[in-house]
Amino acid sequence: MAVAGILIHDAQVITVDEHRRELSSAWVLIDGATIAAVSTEPIDDLPTEVIHVDGSGCVLTPGLVNTHHHLYQWITRGLAADHTLFQWLTTLYPIWAGIDETAVHTAALGGIGQLVMSGCTTTTDHHYVFPREGGDLLGAEIGAAATIGVRFHPTRGSMDLSEKDGGLPPDSVVQGIDEILEACSDAVARWHDPRPGSLLQIALAPCSPFSVTTDLLRESASLARELGVRMHTHLAESPDENTYCDQHFGCTPLQYMESVGWVGDDVWFAHGIEFADDEIARLAATSTGVAHCPTSNARLGNRICRTRELVDAGVPVGLGVDGAASNESARLLEEAHQAVLMARARGGPTALTTRTAIELATLGGARVLGRDKEIGSIEVGKLADLVLWDLSGPAHAGIDDPVAALVLGAIPPIRGTWVGGRRIVTDNDLVTADLDAVAADCAAEHRRLLDKAG
């Protein structure tokens, strides 16, 4: 339960509010699940009972928002380490075909635990592999997220185009359209909570242009809008995908997706590396979002996302760690660091500032998920999703700019993390799960999955 009256005091506060205020020696008052006050002025009229949290030597930011992940991959890290995207997929699909509820629950605990310890308070997940004997896989990861206490936006993914039909996935992990749509409707009915302050919201997410049919894309878009939920898929990730869409559809990936109803302020795409100038303008005009995943993009040898151009055009852009099999560290704050480096490698030293990177990691991600009125900045009335980073140690001593310390320096220890006013990290320790035990379980599930695949 959230505790009314939590006072975080004497911290540097990076608000990411409308005016992008940065406050020194400031305090933030949490009342229940929301932020009740933000100020540098003397404190008056505190609640009768208040818990004091000393923010000396720390910087307080909004909780980070992860806009793209595949949590089940946490137990298949380190495989296909030197492959292209399509080679990587065809190597790993036969292994992923063996996942079940136990594997997914364990992987989700490990993956979400890592996210939280790198500043994440809200995460998505794109789960699209549903082996016939796997069980309730979406429920397994939802249970893991509830255990750890994050705000969760899982997507009910899908694939209906297998190897025999010209796709990449094996037959054992694809489903028919009717089965997929029924499962999507059921997932929304069982779990989606559209109310303000929601900890759990579902989106629909066919996997990619090369693993689903045109009919599935059209039907999924129609169903999502009928049910009032968001839509997500991979798009414009690699030159291979450009070639595939040109050969099969005679157009670019974005042109194809627009032809089947997949643009709008209820849609976000993962990666978005290959967009041309006119396509970036189209994304901005339709408020279609992009989850930028710089570490995964580099790990798989794809080209560098045009982040500066996307941001300048007004496209909603957030950050994502992507699946742990293509980003073995899966640390969300590190994506802000990599976003800066990749943008500058492509566009020069002024291509992306450290403050823009923090904005992408917080308010930008909230906008991509349609939650920017509730999370992503430190403002009165918003949900108390906050991270208190300890910059007092030797790794950050002498870095006067707290944003530069966060984005360019080492990932700091976390003195406290709150989700809706509930504290889930205290003194760099996740209090809701035993990460050592989770690590041992993940290692065992990794071995079991490989043995199962032969």
Side-chain angles (χ1 to χ4, degrees), residues 88-410:
W88 175 84
L89 284 169
T90 54
T91 299
L92 287 168
Y93 271 137
I95 298 170
W96 295 336
I99 60 174
D100 56 21
E101 287 183 42
T102 300
V104 169
H105 181 77
T106 301
L109 286 172
I112 296 172
Q114 182 79 335
L115 285 171
V116 169
M117 298 311 297
S118 61
C120 181
T121 56
T122 297
T123 185
T124 60
D125 188 60
H126 187 182
H127 191 93
Y128 56 87
V129 177
F130 290 90
R132 295 185 182 93
E133 304 301 323
D136 186 4
L137 303 186
L138 199 59
E141 66 173 12
I142 287 171
T147 294
I148 292 179
V150 293
R151 205 172 298 282
F152 197 33
H153 281 239
T155 69
R156 207 300 175 176
S158 55
M159 297 187 292
D160 70 333
L161 190 65
S162 68
E163 288 175 307
K164 67 178 175 58
D165 302 312
L168 293 182
D171 295 345
S172 62
V173 297
V174 302
Q175 298 172 299
I177 292 180
D178 290 343
E179 182 183 6
I180 289 168
L181 296 176
E182 182 179 354
C184 288
S185 295
D186 179 65
V188 173
R190 289 175 66 189
W191 289 305
H192 181 67
D193 179 5
R195 296 173 296 179
S198 170
L199 286 166
L200 180 59
Q201 294 192 358
I202 305 293
L204 305 191
C207 184
S208 67
F210 47 83
S211 58
V212 305
T213 62
T214 301
D215 286 342
L216 178 58
L217 286 170
R218 285 200 184 98
E219 293 292 331
S220 295
S222 176
L223 179 62
R225 288 173 174 138
E226 176 187 331
L227 297 175
V229 299
R230 300 180 81 77
M231 302 148 60
H232 181 50
T233 192
H234 299 94
L235 199 73
E237 184 174 1
S238 74
D240 286 342
E241 185 182 327
N242 289 347
T243 301
Y244 181 93
C245 288
D246 182 54
Q247 291 176 347
H248 287 78
F249 313 118
C251 60
T252 69
L254 182 60
Q255 288 168 341
Y256 173 57
M257 296 305 289
E258 185 163 15
S259 75
V260 292
W262 274 75
V263 296
D265 61 4
D266 54 354
V267 177
W268 84 102
F269 298 130
H271 303 293
I273 299 169
E274 300 291 327
F275 293 131
D277 289 348
D278 62 323
E279 294 182 316
I280 290 175
R282 184 63 183 145
L283 293 170
T286 57
S287 297
T288 305
V290 172
H292 177 35
C293 307
T295 299
S296 173
N297 295 345
R299 157 75 155 82
L300 291 171
N302 295 319
R303 292 188 282 204
I304 298 174
C305 182
R306 302 177 66 193
T307 317
R308 179 74 268 162
E309 290 92 333
L310 290 166
V311 171
D312 284 348
V315 177
V317 180
L319 298 181
V321 299
D322 200 9
S326 63
N327 177 4
E328 278 75 2
S329 67
R331 294 182 294 181
L332 188 50
L333 182 60
E334 192 173 89
E335 298 307 313
H337 179 93
Q338 293 295 340
V340 169
L341 299 188
M342 293 296 173
R344 293 181 182 184
R346 185 181 183 280
T350 61
L352 198 73
T353 70
T354 54
R355 280 164 175 78
T356 299
I358 283 292
E359 183 172 336
L360 297 183
T362 54
L363 191 62
R367 184 184 174 201
V368 165
L369 300 184
R371 302 294 299 271
D372 50 308
K373 302 300 183 186
E374 296 181 277
I375 61 174
S377 61
I378 301 177
E379 301 180 69
V380 172
K382 282 201 166 183
L383 294 168
D385 291 8
L386 304 168
V387 182
L388 186 64
W389 309 88
D390 190 342
L391 301 182
S392 64
H396 303 92
I399 305 179
D400 293 333
D401 181 346
V403 177
L406 282 176
V407 174
L408 301 179

